[in-house]
Amino acid sequence: MAMGLRPLDISRWLEIDEHRSAQLDLKRRLLEESRDVVVATRPEADAASAELLEEIRRWFATFAPDLEVNSTAGHPIVTAARVVQEDLCVLLRDDAWRLQAACVCFPSRWSLASKIGRTMDQIHAPIPGYGELLSVPTNAAFDRLKAERPFWRLNWTLIDDASLHQPTSPRPLRGGSLGRDDLDLEDLDHDDLDHWFFRVERQTIRRLPSSGAIVFTIHNYVASLEQLRGTPEFFEHLQLGIDTTPAPMQEYKGWVGVARRLREILN
Ligand code: HEM
């Protein structure tokens, strides 16, 4: 587990791919049907959210001139989230950096309502090892962040559901041991590599020049293991990644027994 921050070329702040139209449609539907699940805002972040919308408008003008922000109605973070594939979070500092506005349509098994207003340490409290390994460097990196030096990082997981919108709590993969010894792995229906998904979050971290807020963006990429079958080095790295993940983190991710199961499937 590492902070893994890399300098971000601003031309790559947002990514646009062939899934754009489907993902924006899904966002539109979620905003209609489950607004309270996907949006949370505090008034103190209104100005920063408006600045974020303006930054997206300027970024489009410079790097994606075919795209535009075509509405100004509603909360600016929602207007912004409707035109980009990324989920958007705004953090402000008082005693600590706190999540004060967000539109997160594609959470990977966490709930936005439980994180709004919380500090970085509180947000990450369920993650084994975060407090010991990442809390100090991450808070320091946020304090040092300069508007002209943004960063990006990746998070990955292996998950048994391809849906982008998973606002549930972590649950064990059905192909794993479920943390129980009494389960008969032979009965499980996850033998097939197309029931398993490699999900990568590309995250960017940027300081807004005027408000001083931090904008955190998350862009999800999902591929089934079947799609990746032709890349043996990928599976070697995946198994190594799982095997070297400490046991409490494997529990948190729902990966207990999964490396063994993958070997059985692949051999
Ligand atoms: C340098 C910055 C950051 C680092 C190093 C970091 C690190 C991590 C790690 C290691 C995990 C566990 C990942 C996993 O399941 O694979 C995680 C999960 C998470 N992170 Fe971050 N994170 C950062 C920034 C943020 C920010 C700015 C937010 C603000 C919304 C955030 C929200 C979350 C949430 C909601 C989870 C899931 C927590 C849960 O399961 O309850 N992270 N982060």
Side-chain angles (χ1 to χ4, degrees):
M1 188 159 62
M3 204 161 50
L5 294 183
R6 306 172 212 196
L8 172 71
D9 178 339
I10 200 64
S11 68
R12 304 281 315 275
W13 180 36
L14 306 169
E15 291 197 333
I16 300 159
D17 64 23
E18 71 277 18
H19 303 296
R20 181 169 192 265
S21 138
Q23 290 183 1
L24 296 196
D25 284 350
L26 179 54
K27 282 192 175 193
R28 205 170 303 127
R29 187 160 63 72
L30 290 164
L31 282 161
E32 268 165 37
E33 293 171 4
S34 317
R35 195 184 162 97
D36 291 350
V37 177
V38 300
V39 179
T41 60
R42 294 273 176 91
E44 46 270 59
D46 286 358
S49 300
E51 188 183 4
L52 166 60
L53 178 60
E54 200 43 47
E55 286 294 326
I56 290 177
R57 204 188 296 277
R58 286 179 43 197
W59 190 89
F60 278 178
T62 312
F63 300 109
D66 294 348
L67 302 182
E68 56 183 2
V69 179
N70 38 27
S71 150
T72 48
H75 194 282
I77 201 162
V78 177
T79 307
R82 282 180 192 280
V83 293
V84 297
Q85 289 170 255
E86 284 74 11
D87 284 324
L88 302 175
C89 299
V90 168
L91 293 95
L92 293 177
R93 195 176 200 315
D94 43 37
D95 56 327
W97 288 99
R98 289 175 188 273
L99 180 62
Q100 298 293 29
C103 181
V104 178
C105 289
F106 306 142
S108 185
R109 300 186 180 174
W110 56 277
S111 118
L112 176 57
S114 71
K115 309 289 187 188
I116 193 73
R118 307 285 165 144
T119 65
M120 285 287 285
D121 286 355
Q122 290 166 340
I123 289 170
H124 292 97
I127 295 150
Y130 181 94
E132 298 80 355
L133 296 170
L134 290 182
S135 164
V136 169
T138 302
N139 287 326
F142 276 31
D143 280 342
R144 282 195 309 265
L145 192 64
K146 301 262 183 299
E148 61 281 9
R149 287 205 66 213
F151 291 94
W152 68 288
R153 66 184 296 272
L154 295 174
N155 239 7
W156 63 273
T157 198
L158 189 60
I159 204 160
D160 61 351
D161 182 343
S163 318
L164 287 173
H165 178 65
Q166 295 193 45
T168 50
S169 48
R171 68 190 149 87
L173 296 180
R174 281 174 287 158
S177 74
L178 293 163
R180 288 162 40 184
D181 296 332
D182 58 339
L183 202 79
D184 184 359
L185 286 173
E186 300 310 312
D187 290 343
L188 294 169
D189 59 357
H190 272 199
D191 289 6
D192 231 331
L193 289 186
D194 55 13
H195 291 156
W196 300 63
F197 303 90
F198 186 63
R199 178 167 172 151
V200 176
E201 292 186 353
R202 176 183 185 268
Q203 306 173 341
T204 73
I205 298 155
R206 213 192 136 172
R207 186 106 191 231
L208 294 178
S210 176
S211 60
I214 290 178
V215 170
F216 181 66
T217 70
I218 310 157
H219 190 133
N220 280 278
Y221 294 88
V222 183
S224 81
L225 291 195
E226 185 58 40
Q227 284 170 278
L228 296 161
R229 193 191 268 276
T231 328
E233 336 62 277
F234 165 78
F235 284 96
E236 277 163 36
H237 282 114
L238 180 64
Q239 282 165 356
L240 186 69
I242 296 175
D243 285 341
T244 53
T245 299
M249 190 66 168
Q250 292 206 21
E251 285 281 349
Y252 164 77
K253 296 244 198 188
W255 287 353
V256 176
V258 169
R260 177 165 58 92
R261 191 75 184 125
L262 265 183
R263 268 186 204 99
E264 286 167 10
I265 296 171
L266 290 167
N267 290 332

